[in-house]
Amino acid sequence: MAKKTVASLQSSSKRLTKAIKMVKSPKSGAYVFVESVMPPEMVNDWIAKK
């Protein structure tokens, strides 16, 4: 019964990816990490833009 419930939850939910990018802060010059959760198709575009 538990397997059936887990399988139905996975098929009904959206697949998301957490992307982490290191960006240099203009104020202090230190590097900060920016995190975002998005669909896998958008990850390359998000990483490519500054």
Side-chain angles (χ1 to χ4, degrees):
M1 188 80 174
K3 286 184 181 177
K4 206 174 204 183
T5 304
V6 170
S8 65
L9 288 174
Q10 288 178 352
S11 65
S12 65
S13 67
K14 290 186 176 182
R15 186 172 166 215
L16 298 173
T17 303
K18 181 177 183 180
I20 302 170
K21 179 169 52 170
M22 191 167 69
V23 179
K24 191 169 187 177
S25 172
K27 263 188 198 176
S28 64
Y31 285 96
V32 293
F33 293 97
V34 180
E35 298 179 5
S36 182
V37 177
M38 64 192 77
E41 299 83 29
M42 297 176 63
V43 172
N44 288 335
D45 294 334
W46 184 74
I47 291 176
K49 73 176 185 178
K50 288 190 174 188

